[in-house]
Amino acid sequence: MRKVRYELLGRKAMLVSLIMILVLSMLAGCGKGSSKSESASPKDGATYVAGTYSAKVSGMHEMTVHVTVSDTAITDIKVDHKETSGVGEPATESLPAEIIETQGLGVDAVAGATLTSKAIIDGVKDCLKQAGLNEDGINKLLAIKKKETKEADQELTADVVIIGAGGAGMAAATTANQAGKKVIVIEKASKMGGNTILSGGAFNAVDDGSETALANKDSVEKHYTQTFEGGDKQGDPKLVHTLVDNAWSGVVWLKELGMKFHDNVFTVTGGMWPRAHKPIEPEGTGFFKTYQEYIDKHDGITMVYNTKADELIVENGIVTGVSCTGKTGNKITVKAQNGVVLATGGFGQNVEMRVKYNEINKKWPTLDSSIPSTNTSGITGDGMIMAEQIGAKLIQMENIQLLPLGDPKTGSLSGNIEHAVESRIFINLDGNRFVNEGGRRDEMTLALFKQKETKMFIVMDSDTYPKGNEVNNFGETISSLVDSGRSLKADTLEELAKLMGVPEKNLIDTVNNYNRYCKGGDLEGKKDEFGRTLFTDTDGINNGINNGPFYAAARVPTVHHTMGGVQINEHAQAISTSGEIIPGLFAAGEVTGGIHGTNRLGGNALTDTIVFGRIAGTSASNFVK
Ligand code: ADP
């Protein structure tokens, strides 16, 4: 599924030089001076045709791997990339160093950056093949691993222990520290960020009574109603109120910590209303830049990376800590004087779990490994499993959210060309619209599952398409998306239809109809045939799709968020199967269930991490055994 794409650079040139080398070595016989050919039998896997080779591969984004080899060694690896800082980026630094150190390719993927790691290794393999190594040689290098010496077991103690350094975990850690507590954060990846850092950054919050809210006819009550009803009223009303009532103070808190947001609000896909605040920094990076700066300026938060929490420790019915496995396989026991906060995220990358829980209501035709996920690889439901083992109640696990916006290769949200919901349409392979593109995420995705090849294109014109070197939500420039074929561009709709491989007439008719709906509808008395109501973007410049160049980008369903999880109350205390509060255990973020119901509104996940992360941080700080 996640096939890495190669574009070999200079293959022809390589072939010519390889032939020349072969001829020269034959001429020279097997004498001295022809050490390359003499020992270059590829099966020994350690000799190359010296030079620098390049290969283009796709991690989370496109990147180019450059490998320099001498006759006998890999001497340099450079990776040109735009991987998200804190997600793919660590792999682009540590993997090349380890490959050079070991002169082997048996390096482990960097935790939390599997896709990037795989792409780098594939890129290096490709370059080495260009340098004359055959499959045998590659396989030998793949078997070479760094020898780790197991470090000593450790016992650590803090006031508050946080498991998971994603959005909720870091909000909890910072809050607990602000309350004067010593905090340890356990994180299985090599950096903070989790899924949160991969998000588009949209943060729903209403500053009730403010000019912005009044201008948008928005209110906290409307945020409540849309969240509750958008989740088919399955969310716990108390938790939904807690979420929306504290959303704006979350923005204020972040701003006080130094985080910067754009002034305007926008409607994120599935957000139902323009109330999403967009950070200045791309994706979710602004949150973690802010937390890291806080940690750098304040004592008392210790980050323990590359360490996986395995089991919660329970003493006399109280959760007192967690036992973990360190990077080298050593045991790390972490004890809390006050509370333990579970913030390990959802289970979007645990195929077994999503198949199992989808069986309950069979909402999705399939959630097997053919369906990609937007999630980072470590989002495997560990927290739910750990909590269930000690008697916590898991609720609404069957509520699994997919987005219709996945990159066909990686499932990631990157490569998405839209600026806002109001200015784009979804087109199937027949060249037709098929759903209200401003509707609920589940309705849009279920409709997409019914389309040919389960695939569609986002289509928009140049009025609202980012220009020139402007970057989208994911830090990608438009030109690079067009250059790499991830976005299609054409001066006319006819040409665009050709590039998309859809019937031209259908696309043109569809766009014409849509344009009439944009101008107030009334096509045969209908407002919009799919019930769409969101047409005008926040700048008020969208009058339909009529100004070329036109753009299209292919998209598929992708597992995005798991709404079910550990049951909590409004103080973020975990609840047991018998309905009791579990002393010492607090939970926040995607690991919890019962807030979003069947369908989480776009832009509410980050709000969840901040609101309940802060509450969990406070509750865990106040907990006394
Ligand atoms: P949320 O949005 O709820 O904060 P995120 O996905 O942003 O969730 O973050 C969850 C974090 O928890 C990720 O960084 C992930 O690597 C980490 N994590 C998941 N399971 C474990 C575990 N067993 N031990 C330590 N960290 C974990």
Side-chain angles (χ1 to χ4, degrees):
M1 265 297 339
R2 296 186 161 171
K3 227 171 139 211
V4 174
R5 198 167 62 80
Y6 301 109
E7 250 175 60
L8 302 188
L9 307 177
R11 263 218 189 277
K12 264 192 190 158
M14 275 315 309
L15 218 74
V16 172
S17 44
L18 272 174
I19 292 168
M20 281 178 64
I21 286 157
L22 265 171
V23 172
L24 282 175
S25 61
M26 279 166 75
L27 286 177
C30 288
K32 293 236 153 120
S34 63
S35 63
K36 198 185 298 161
S37 58
E38 196 174 35
S39 58
S41 123
K43 68 175 169 7
D44 69 18
T47 54
Y48 312 102
V49 179
T52 298
Y53 305 87
S54 306
K56 273 193 181 173
V57 286
S58 293
M60 299 295 292
H61 306 277
E62 304 249 307
M63 54 192 185
T64 309
V65 177
H66 308 277
V67 178
T68 304
V69 289
S70 68
D71 290 357
T72 53
I74 304 165
T75 55
D76 192 31
I77 300 173
K78 287 207 165 56
V79 184
D80 292 338
H81 70 92
K82 292 196 177 64
E83 299 299 284
T84 308
S85 80
V87 186
E89 200 186 27
T92 65
E93 290 156 14
S94 62
L95 277 194
E98 201 174 319
I99 292 172
I100 293 170
E101 186 192 328
T102 58
Q103 291 294 310
L105 292 172
V107 287
D108 289 330
V110 172
T114 318
L115 206 59
T116 312
S117 305
K118 186 178 173 324
I120 293 172
I121 295 166
D122 283 336
V124 175
K125 268 201 264 180
D126 200 301
C127 292
L128 295 183
K129 280 185 191 167
Q130 294 178 59
L133 205 60
N134 68 8
E135 278 301 327
D136 251 15
I138 295 283
N139 287 337
K140 285 194 169 175
L141 295 201
L142 283 170
I144 299 175
K145 269 190 178 297
K146 190 170 171 177
K147 285 190 188 66
E148 296 268 19
T149 37
K150 192 169 163 187
E151 284 171 25
D153 292 347
Q154 264 180 300
E155 281 222 15
L156 308 171
T157 304
D159 299 326
V160 173
V161 174
I162 315 273
I163 313 172
M170 292 314 299
T174 308
T175 307
N177 184 265
Q178 286 176 323
K181 298 293 173 184
K182 281 207 163 36
V183 180
I184 288 180
V185 184
I186 301 296
E187 169 55 57
K188 70 177 174 184
S190 59
K191 289 246 171 138
M192 62 174 77
N195 263 352
T196 305
I197 206 168
L198 295 176
S199 72
F203 188 117
N204 284 342
V206 185
D207 181 13
D208 226 353
S210 69
E211 267 179 39
T212 314
L214 291 173
N216 288 322
K217 299 188 173 54
D218 202 6
S219 64
V220 167
E221 199 46 39
K222 187 177 253 170
H223 190 187
Y224 173 82
T225 308
Q226 290 185 331
T227 302
F228 187 59
E229 290 181 357
D232 293 324
K233 303 184 179 172
Q234 276 195 23
D236 174 344
K238 248 193 198 161
L239 297 182
V240 182
H241 270 302
T242 306
L243 177 82
V244 299
D245 293 352
N246 295 291
W248 179 250
S249 64
V251 174
V252 173
W253 179 72
L254 287 165
K255 285 184 176 172
E256 280 167 6
L257 287 174
M259 186 161 163
K260 295 201 167 46
F261 289 88
H262 289 280
D263 289 338
N264 293 338
V265 288
F266 74 110
T267 312
V268 61
T269 293
M272 318 292 281
W273 210 256
R275 65 168 68 94
H277 299 262
K278 187 174 172 181
I280 299 281
E281 303 284 339
E283 302 180 89
T285 55
F287 294 90
F288 297 97
K289 205 173 153 191
T290 307
Y291 295 132
Q292 190 58 58
E293 275 168 14
Y294 178 89
I295 293 173
D296 293 344
K297 282 191 206 136
H298 299 84
D299 286 337
I301 300 183
T302 307
M303 302 298 300
V304 182
Y305 289 115
N306 297 307
T307 298
K308 180 177 173 291
D310 299 317
E311 272 174 24
L312 294 166
I313 300 168
V314 183
E315 291 168 300
N316 304 321
I318 301 171
V319 175
T320 56
V322 58
S323 63
C324 315
T325 307
K327 194 180 181 200
T328 59
N330 53 329
K331 190 171 173 194
I332 302 178
T333 308
V334 192
K335 300 294 292 285
Q337 305 284 357
N338 301 101
V340 174
V341 177
L342 202 53
T344 44
F347 61 92
Q349 285 287 15
N350 187 325
V351 173
E352 209 178 294
M353 276 176 87
R354 61 192 211 199
V355 167
K356 169 179 158 186
Y357 289 113
N358 187 45
E359 274 300 305
I360 295 176
N361 61 355
K362 297 193 171 55
K363 172 156 182 159
W364 304 104
T366 176
L367 288 185
D368 67 13
S369 55
S370 69
I371 307 297
S373 171
T374 58
N375 291 193
T376 175
S377 54
I379 305 304
T380 44
D382 303 8
M384 290 142 185
I385 296 167
M386 281 187 276
E388 194 177 32
Q389 274 166 359
I390 62 135
K393 184 166 185 190
L394 302 186
I395 56 167
Q396 300 176 1
M397 294 292 279
E398 67 280 14
N399 291 341
I400 299 172
Q401 179 170 84
L402 275 74
L403 283 183
L405 300 175
D407 178 285
K409 281 197 195 111
T410 64
S412 116
L413 295 182
S414 68
N416 187 351
I417 60 174
E418 73 187 23
H419 245 183
V421 168
E422 287 82 351
S423 53
R424 46 76 169 147
I425 53 175
F426 298 162
I427 295 291
N428 65 17
L429 297 191
D430 292 324
N432 297 323
R433 284 179 64 212
F434 57 92
V435 72
N436 166 13
E437 299 92 340
R440 284 167 50 142
R441 292 174 159 189
D442 55 350
E443 286 170 4
M444 291 189 284
T445 314
L446 278 172
L448 177 54
F449 263 104
K450 294 194 182 109
Q451 307 309 308
K452 276 185 194 157
E453 295 181 29
T454 326
K455 188 174 161 187
M456 68 168 194
F457 290 92
I458 290 179
V459 171
M460 40 198 296
D461 72 0
S462 41
D463 284 347
T464 51
Y465 191 79
K467 308 273 185 305
N469 282 334
E470 200 182 326
V471 290
N472 67 7
N473 257 348
F474 294 88
E476 297 158 328
T477 72
I478 303 319
S479 342
S480 76
L481 288 176
V482 173
D483 286 351
S484 63
R486 293 175 74 200
S487 174
L488 306 170
K489 176 182 179 186
D491 287 333
T492 64
L493 284 171
E494 287 87 342
E495 284 171 47
L496 191 71
K498 274 191 202 121
L499 292 176
M500 292 160 69
V502 305
E504 291 166 38
K505 184 174 178 319
N506 288 0
L507 180 64
I508 292 166
D509 289 351
T510 301
V511 168
N512 285 341
N513 282 345
Y514 168 74
N515 286 348
R516 264 178 281 178
Y517 298 137
C518 284
K519 293 203 182 87
D522 278 332
L523 182 80
E524 292 162 9
K526 282 184 274 178
K527 281 286 178 210
D528 176 90
E529 57 194 300
F530 301 102
R532 174 168 169 154
T533 55
L534 296 171
F535 289 105
T536 308
D537 74 12
T538 44
D539 299 332
I541 54 168
N542 178 46
N543 300 309
I545 296 179
N546 32 40
N547 291 322
F550 301 95
Y551 297 88
R555 299 279 105 184
V556 298
T558 183
V559 176
H560 187 53
H561 193 97
T562 52
M563 279 78 67
V566 178
Q567 187 174 20
I568 55 165
N569 63 16
E570 67 275 27
H571 306 296
Q573 290 167 301
I575 307 294
S576 74
T577 46
S578 54
E580 309 286 320
I581 288 165
I582 301 176
L585 185 62
F586 305 84
E590 204 176 334
V591 72
T592 67
I595 299 170
H596 306 285
T598 56
N599 172 61
R600 176 180 63 73
L601 249 54
N604 270 357
L606 292 177
T607 311
D608 182 352
T609 63
I610 299 297
V611 169
F612 285 97
R614 291 178 70 203
I615 293 173
T618 304
S619 296
S621 301
N622 293 339
F623 177 74
V624 183
K625 283 179 211 162

Short mmCIF file of all heavy atoms in Angstrom, two decimals, residues 163-168 186-188 193-196 307-309 343-345 378-379 382 386 589-590 609, ligand 1:
data_model
loop_
_atom_site.label_atom_id
_atom_site.label_comp_id
_atom_site.label_asym_id
_atom_site.label_seq_id
_atom_site.Cartn_x
_atom_site.Cartn_y
_atom_site.Cartn_z
N ILE A 163 1.89 9.70 30.58
CA ILE A 163 2.25 8.69 29.58
C ILE A 163 1.78 9.18 28.22
O ILE A 163 0.58 9.28 27.96
CB ILE A 163 1.61 7.32 29.90
CG1 ILE A 163 1.82 6.96 31.37
CG2 ILE A 163 2.18 6.25 28.98
CD1 ILE A 163 1.06 5.72 31.81
N GLY A 164 2.74 9.51 27.36
CA GLY A 164 2.42 10.02 26.02
C GLY A 164 2.69 11.50 25.91
O GLY A 164 2.14 12.31 26.65
N ALA A 165 3.59 11.85 24.99
CA ALA A 165 3.97 13.26 24.81
C ALA A 165 3.34 13.85 23.57
O ALA A 165 3.98 14.52 22.77
CB ALA A 165 5.49 13.40 24.76
N GLY A 166 2.04 13.57 23.37
CA GLY A 166 1.30 14.22 22.28
C GLY A 166 0.63 15.48 22.81
O GLY A 166 1.07 16.06 23.81
N GLY A 167 -0.45 15.87 22.15
CA GLY A 167 -1.12 17.11 22.51
C GLY A 167 -1.63 17.12 23.94
O GLY A 167 -1.35 18.05 24.71
N ALA A 168 -2.38 16.08 24.32
CA ALA A 168 -2.98 16.05 25.66
C ALA A 168 -1.89 15.89 26.73
O ALA A 168 -1.92 16.56 27.78
CB ALA A 168 -3.99 14.92 25.77
N ILE A 186 6.63 10.07 29.85
CA ILE A 186 7.15 8.87 29.18
C ILE A 186 6.63 8.87 27.75
O ILE A 186 5.43 9.00 27.51
CB ILE A 186 6.59 7.59 29.88
CG1 ILE A 186 6.99 7.57 31.35
CG2 ILE A 186 7.03 6.32 29.16
CD1 ILE A 186 8.47 7.47 31.58
N GLU A 187 7.54 8.72 26.80
CA GLU A 187 7.13 8.76 25.39
C GLU A 187 7.86 7.67 24.61
O GLU A 187 9.08 7.58 24.67
CB GLU A 187 7.42 10.15 24.80
CG GLU A 187 7.27 10.26 23.29
CD GLU A 187 5.92 9.82 22.74
OE1 GLU A 187 4.89 10.39 23.16
OE2 GLU A 187 5.90 8.90 21.89
N LYS A 188 7.12 6.87 23.87
CA LYS A 188 7.80 5.77 23.17
C LYS A 188 8.51 6.23 21.90
O LYS A 188 9.42 5.57 21.43
CB LYS A 188 6.84 4.61 22.89
CG LYS A 188 5.77 4.81 21.87
CD LYS A 188 5.00 3.49 21.70
CE LYS A 188 3.81 3.65 20.80
NZ LYS A 188 3.00 2.44 20.70
N GLY A 193 5.03 15.00 20.23
CA GLY A 193 4.22 15.39 19.06
C GLY A 193 3.03 14.49 18.77
O GLY A 193 1.94 14.96 18.52
N GLY A 194 3.28 13.16 18.79
CA GLY A 194 2.19 12.22 18.51
C GLY A 194 1.45 12.56 17.23
O GLY A 194 2.01 13.10 16.28
N ASN A 195 0.18 12.24 17.22
CA ASN A 195 -0.67 12.57 16.08
C ASN A 195 -0.90 14.06 15.99
O ASN A 195 -1.14 14.60 14.93
CB ASN A 195 -2.07 11.97 16.28
CG ASN A 195 -2.20 10.66 15.56
OD1 ASN A 195 -1.32 10.29 14.80
ND2 ASN A 195 -3.29 10.00 15.80
N THR A 196 -0.87 14.69 17.15
CA THR A 196 -1.22 16.10 17.22
C THR A 196 -0.33 16.93 16.30
O THR A 196 -0.79 17.86 15.64
CB THR A 196 -1.13 16.59 18.67
OG1 THR A 196 -1.94 15.73 19.47
CG2 THR A 196 -1.58 18.02 18.82
N THR A 307 10.86 5.26 25.21
CA THR A 307 10.49 4.41 26.34
C THR A 307 9.01 4.10 26.26
O THR A 307 8.18 5.00 26.24
CB THR A 307 10.84 5.14 27.66
OG1 THR A 307 12.26 5.34 27.65
CG2 THR A 307 10.44 4.34 28.87
N LYS A 308 8.71 2.81 26.21
CA LYS A 308 7.31 2.40 26.01
C LYS A 308 6.69 1.98 27.33
O LYS A 308 7.23 1.13 28.04
CB LYS A 308 7.27 1.24 25.01
CG LYS A 308 5.89 0.73 24.73
CD LYS A 308 5.92 -0.37 23.69
CE LYS A 308 4.55 -1.01 23.53
NZ LYS A 308 4.11 -1.79 24.68
N ALA A 309 5.56 2.60 27.65
CA ALA A 309 4.82 2.20 28.86
C ALA A 309 4.15 0.86 28.57
O ALA A 309 3.51 0.70 27.54
CB ALA A 309 3.78 3.26 29.18
N ALA A 343 -2.16 9.51 28.34
CA ALA A 343 -2.40 10.41 27.20
C ALA A 343 -1.75 9.81 25.96
O ALA A 343 -1.00 10.46 25.23
CB ALA A 343 -1.82 11.79 27.50
N THR A 344 -2.05 8.53 25.74
CA THR A 344 -1.37 7.76 24.69
C THR A 344 -2.07 7.79 23.34
O THR A 344 -1.67 7.08 22.42
CB THR A 344 -1.26 6.29 25.14
OG1 THR A 344 -2.52 5.90 25.68
CG2 THR A 344 -0.19 6.11 26.19
N GLY A 345 -3.13 8.58 23.22
CA GLY A 345 -3.79 8.71 21.92
C GLY A 345 -4.68 7.52 21.59
O GLY A 345 -4.98 6.69 22.45
N GLY A 378 2.93 5.03 16.01
CA GLY A 378 2.85 4.60 17.41
C GLY A 378 1.46 4.67 18.01
O GLY A 378 1.27 4.39 19.20
N ILE A 379 0.47 5.04 17.20
CA ILE A 379 -0.88 5.23 17.75
C ILE A 379 -1.61 3.90 17.67
O ILE A 379 -2.41 3.64 16.78
CB ILE A 379 -1.61 6.37 17.00
CG1 ILE A 379 -0.76 7.64 17.03
CG2 ILE A 379 -2.97 6.64 17.57
CD1 ILE A 379 -0.37 8.12 18.44
N ASP A 382 -2.28 1.50 22.93
CA ASP A 382 -1.60 0.96 24.13
C ASP A 382 -2.29 1.39 25.42
O ASP A 382 -2.44 0.61 26.35
CB ASP A 382 -0.14 1.44 24.22
CG ASP A 382 0.68 1.09 23.00
OD1 ASP A 382 0.09 0.62 22.02
OD2 ASP A 382 1.90 1.32 23.04
N MET A 386 -3.75 -0.95 28.36
CA MET A 386 -3.21 -0.88 29.74
C MET A 386 -4.32 -0.57 30.74
O MET A 386 -4.38 -1.16 31.82
CB MET A 386 -2.16 0.25 29.84
CG MET A 386 -0.81 -0.12 29.30
SD MET A 386 0.39 1.19 29.66
CE MET A 386 0.14 2.32 28.34
N GLY A 589 -7.44 13.32 26.07
CA GLY A 589 -7.15 13.23 24.63
C GLY A 589 -7.81 12.01 24.01
O GLY A 589 -8.81 11.50 24.50
N GLU A 590 -7.20 11.56 22.93
CA GLU A 590 -7.85 10.52 22.12
C GLU A 590 -7.94 9.17 22.83
O GLU A 590 -8.72 8.31 22.41
CB GLU A 590 -7.07 10.38 20.80
CG GLU A 590 -7.92 9.81 19.68
CD GLU A 590 -7.19 9.77 18.35
OE1 GLU A 590 -6.26 10.57 18.14
OE2 GLU A 590 -7.55 8.92 17.52
N THR A 609 -7.55 17.98 23.34
CA THR A 609 -6.23 17.76 23.98
C THR A 609 -5.91 18.86 24.97
O THR A 609 -5.39 18.60 26.06
CB THR A 609 -5.08 17.69 22.94
OG1 THR A 609 -4.99 18.95 22.27
CG2 THR A 609 -5.26 16.58 21.95
P1 ADP B 1 -3.52 13.08 21.85
O1 ADP B 1 -4.01 13.82 20.65
O2 ADP B 1 -4.60 12.37 22.57
O3 ADP B 1 -2.66 13.89 22.72
P2 ADP B 1 -1.32 12.05 20.35
O4 ADP B 1 -1.49 11.08 19.28
O5 ADP B 1 -1.02 13.45 20.01
O6 ADP B 1 -2.61 11.92 21.29
O7 ADP B 1 -0.16 11.58 21.32
C1 ADP B 1 -0.10 10.31 21.89
C2 ADP B 1 1.35 10.02 22.23
O8 ADP B 1 1.43 8.88 23.06
C3 ADP B 1 2.22 9.74 21.02
O9 ADP B 1 3.34 10.58 21.04
C4 ADP B 1 2.60 8.27 21.18
O10 ADP B 1 3.88 7.97 20.67
C5 ADP B 1 2.57 8.12 22.68
N1 ADP B 1 2.38 6.73 23.12
C6 ADP B 1 1.46 5.84 22.66
N2 ADP B 1 1.58 4.67 23.29
C7 ADP B 1 2.60 4.82 24.19
C8 ADP B 1 3.21 3.95 25.15
N3 ADP B 1 2.83 2.69 25.29
N4 ADP B 1 4.23 4.45 25.88
C9 ADP B 1 4.67 5.72 25.72
N5 ADP B 1 4.13 6.58 24.84
C10 ADP B 1 3.11 6.13 24.08
#
